[in-house]
Amino acid sequence: MAKAPEKLVDADVAQAIVSGAHGDPFSVLGIHRRGQGFVLTAFVPGAERLTVLGPSEIAAVPQEGFPGLFAAEMPAREPYRLRAEGHGTVWEFEDPYRFGPVLGELDEYLLGEGTHRRLWQALGAHIVEHEGVSGTRFAVWAPNAERVSVVGDFNIWDGRRHPMRRRGLTGVWEIFLPGVGEGTAYKYEIRAPGGQILPLKADPVGFGSEHPPRTASVVRDIRGANWGDADWMAERAARQSVDAPISIYEVHLGSWRRAEGGRMLSYLEAAGQLVDYAADMGFTHIELMPVSEFPFDGSWGYQPVGMFAPTIRHGTPPEFRALVEAAHRKGLGVLIDWVPGHFPTDPHGLGQFDGTPLYEHADPREGFHQDWNTLIYNYGRTEVANWLTSNALYWLEEYHLDGLRVDAVASMLYRDYSRKAGEWVPNKDGGRENYEAIELLRRVNSTVYAEDAGVMTVAEESTAFPGVSRPVHQGGLGFGFKWNMGWMNDSLDYMAKDPVHRRHHHHQMTFSLHYAWSENYILPISHDEVVHGKGSMLGKMPGEGADKFANLRAFYGYMWTHPGKKLLFMGCEFAQGREWNHDASLDWHLLDHPLHSGVQALVRDLNRLYRETPALHRNDTRPEGFLWLEATDADHSIFAYARRGRVDEPMVVAALNMTPVERRIRLGFPAAGAWQEVLNTDAEAYGGGNRGNMGGVITEAIGWHGQEQSALVTLPPLSTVIFRQG
């Protein structure tokens, strides 16, 4: 005979279970030894009767006063299913509380230590077969929570139904839910210290998300990628070295091009259209603005919530992988913007994740970003640093991405970034450097380069912080490259001047060569230059009509011959006239106009020349790759310089005329003989006047510009002319 119900489940325990207040549900639910026998306890809200289906059927006893709570004496600890009846419905299911833990001891050890390099393999939602049953295991870090539950349509979003198991002292909670699979939306319901139920939280290590404005995480199976890019991966290190030609096309996937009806392109559509276009234009890389899931379109992805989830706006994880593989098959690398500097305050995000400032600092002087109304990670917390480091590695490993461009590095490096006196907390030595953020960046770079030396990390860093792209073992931050923001600001300020005034600002075009070798630089003309009222690249240029285009073409000639790798934001390659709008496609119809298609043709040819001419890229980061020929002719706004590769490779000479007056000048050349005019931004094909040097010049033994050889050359108005030896 069954014992009285009250003796099977203690009343206080029963109350804690049915109210969702029990912090250790696995100690109660499922089968547990009781004296000489076993007792099965199950909580099934809505059930009026419950039957245990094992070798025999056993009717569970409802626990009086606690609706939905049942208990049954069991002959042994053995596998079982449950059959519930209630409200005219019968349903059978596996009981999650009959299954043992999923995380292994090594996972638990590394999680506790904060050194789990592949954190995503332990945390998050993983489709698995566990103890012979298919389902999904969930694991989440919430060390201060009193209780954590997985909720979704599968349990009517009721946090009482699937509370999780706490794993020792790691702060991690886990559960295996049988029958839950691909495409299932879920969140975590967390009972904070003191009993408060928090707003439902998305999974910090979720691999998928719902379509905005919905905010749940989605179970995605990221196992079993069948990559076909082995050739690219084998060659990648050489293609991404400081000696390689690197020309990056920066893209916002939501607005590069729209499909019929204004719909955003899918990853699969981009795998055809975008990849083919970037390859045709001669770029070596595509850089995608953030693809980590984000709630607000207007943030362009720079306020991410789902750091492990490719945004569903364009498709699923396998479809994102297909985009990357398509690029690799075309010989294009793929970089993404990575945002470890801050995160938004959306209630389903990381803020106050377990009811405490878990990922962020408690003190707003350290943990709140005034510029962006966002939260700043607590980089000094071991688990947070581990989470970020693992996230960086995740994108490179799981999606074969070729590198990360790290956003807003300066905001991480300095505790007083954009803060007034009294609004920030000094470091332990009383200074402004953020030691913890510096250590995090070093850890990230050391980790990803140790795993694969062929990747590249790029810092968007706007200050003179030393050694950004120097190895960690040499005291640097360990990035592969750094954006040259100084070059960008100076050169664009110069180009915006009316040519009659440029002679007073000549140094703005030469100053960058004073520090060009201090870092491994990328020259960026990014989205930041064509938003927030800054206008388009074409709009920055002085003059009217054709003169604007001539200025822009001359600038691009300067950019592609200046030391440093190249980055150009989408639309700039065909001189889009209006400022970038993230809600609409680029103005592709402008290519019907010869001046716009001419700029596009110029960029295509500059990329080709840059890739095919070692002198223009091999020594981008070394002073032996550059020689000034004319740096001081401010009165005529003329600049000339040589670019050099190895001694056996043809040299290049670039000459710039930044006035609207044609110049006939004598130009020194670093070697005797014929010099071919390989590109002239005034060519008719680019929309220019076709003035130049009839295909090239032959030097004569007249010393000029410090060289033993020289030639008379024609510099068209507002132009860059490029000569190559031989």
Side-chain angles (χ1 to χ4, degrees), residues 494-504 542-543 547 551 634-635 637 658-660 718:
Y494 175 90
M495 292 304 300
K497 300 282 193 297
D498 187 298
V500 75
H501 300 304
R502 284 177 175 165
R503 60 194 180 120
H504 303 299
D547 279 354
N551 272 292
D635 287 343
S637 297
M658 289 300 183
T659 68
L718 300 171

Side-chain angles (χ1 to χ4, degrees), residues 138-312:
F138 298 85
V140 64
W141 179 58
N144 302 302
E146 292 186 354
R147 185 261 300 166
V148 181
S149 299
V150 186
V151 294
D153 288 339
F154 50 85
N155 62 13
I156 328 175
W157 301 88
D158 182 351
R160 301 174 304 154
R161 293 172 183 258
H162 291 134
M164 304 171 77
R165 170 193 284 117
R166 184 193 287 269
R167 290 302 299 269
L169 300 176
T170 63
V172 171
W173 301 73
E174 69 152 19
I175 194 170
F176 171 70
L177 295 186
V180 172
E182 172 78 22
T184 302
Y186 70 97
K187 284 185 174 179
Y188 293 112
E189 183 184 278
I190 298 176
R191 182 182 173 96
Q196 176 194 4
I197 302 299
L198 301 176
L200 296 182
K201 294 291 189 179
D203 191 341
V205 190
F207 304 133
S209 297
E210 290 185 298
H211 281 276
R214 299 174 70 89
T215 56
S217 298
V218 173
V219 176
R220 294 294 181 194
D221 192 350
I222 63 170
R223 301 171 298 177
N226 185 22
W227 291 98
D229 59 354
D231 289 347
W232 165 267
M233 297 298 278
E235 299 170 359
R236 181 169 71 178
R239 290 173 179 257
Q240 301 196 152
S241 77
V242 293
D243 295 336
I246 295 176
S247 182
I248 302 166
Y249 187 49
E250 187 193 21
V251 172
H252 177 259
L253 266 181
S255 59
W256 177 72
R257 181 177 285 159
R258 292 290 177 107
E260 200 71 33
R263 172 180 60 78
M264 294 181 188
L265 293 184
S266 69
Y267 293 128
L268 295 180
E269 288 168 327
Q273 298 176 39
L274 171 61
V275 168
D276 287 351
Y277 177 76
D280 175 69
M281 286 297 297
F283 290 100
T284 65
H285 289 71
I286 296 169
E287 179 179 309
L288 300 175
M289 290 166 67
V291 297
S292 299
E293 193 58 80
F294 55 98
F296 176 49
D297 283 358
S299 78
W300 315 329
Y302 290 101
Q303 293 196 6
V305 167
M307 285 287 277
F308 288 79
T311 177
I312 192 61

Side-chain angles (χ1 to χ4, degrees), residues 295-296 299 302-304 341-347 351 364 367-376 417-419:
F296 176 49
S299 78
Y302 290 101
Q303 293 196 6
H342 63 133
F343 59 93
T345 58
D346 297 59
F368 185 73
H369 211 303
Q370 301 173 132
D371 290 359
W372 302 314
N373 291 319
T374 51
L375 299 171
I376 300 170
Y417 182 88
S418 197
R419 295 179 188 271

Side-chain angles (χ1 to χ4, degrees), residues 431-615:
R432 57 196 288 258
E433 294 80 11
N434 190 327
Y435 293 155
E436 295 80 12
I438 291 168
E439 182 54 37
L440 170 80
L441 292 170
R442 288 174 170 161
R443 176 176 172 179
V444 166
N445 286 316
S446 298
T447 299
V448 300
Y449 278 112
E451 291 293 334
D452 189 336
V455 301
M456 60 188 286
T457 61
V458 182
E460 183 211 12
E461 203 284 309
S462 54
T463 74
F465 192 91
V468 171
S469 59
R470 293 292 171 263
V472 171
H473 67 267
Q474 294 179 8
L477 292 183
F479 284 93
F481 296 91
K482 171 181 169 171
W483 276 18
N484 193 336
M485 310 294 278
W487 169 87
M488 180 272 297
N489 287 317
D490 286 346
S491 60
L492 290 186
D493 190 61
Y494 175 90
M495 292 304 300
K497 300 282 193 297
D498 187 298
V500 75
H501 300 304
R502 284 177 175 165
R503 60 194 180 120
H504 303 299
H505 303 273
H506 197 73
H507 69 283
Q508 288 187 291
M509 295 285 271
T510 62
F511 181 67
S512 57
L513 273 303
H514 289 287
Y515 59 85
W517 329 115
S518 61
E519 301 278 2
N520 301 331
Y521 280 120
I522 291 174
L523 310 181
I525 299 298
S526 74
H527 66 276
D528 279 329
E529 310 322 312
V530 293
V531 291
H532 301 320
K534 296 178 184 177
S536 66
M537 281 297 290
L538 184 66
K540 298 178 194 299
M541 300 297 124
E544 300 293 332
D547 279 354
K548 280 186 172 291
F549 286 88
N551 272 292
L552 185 58
R553 293 193 304 266
F555 173 75
Y556 286 160
Y558 163 70
M559 176 177 173
W560 259 260
T561 54
H562 188 288
K565 312 309 179 186
K566 325 301 174 189
L567 179 141
L568 194 65
F569 183 57
M570 64 182 202
C572 297
E573 81 277 12
F574 62 80
Q576 169 142 322
R578 64 181 174 87
E579 188 172 275
W580 171 53
N581 175 9
H582 73 272
D583 279 329
S585 168
L586 296 178
D587 294 332
W588 294 101
H589 64 276
L590 293 176
L591 288 171
D592 294 336
H593 192 290
L595 285 173
H596 290 278
S597 61
V599 173
Q600 184 192 49
L602 171 65
V603 171
R604 183 186 290 112
D605 286 351
L606 283 168
N607 275 332
R608 174 188 51 77
L609 182 66
Y610 173 65
R611 290 195 333 269
E612 295 175 354
T613 308

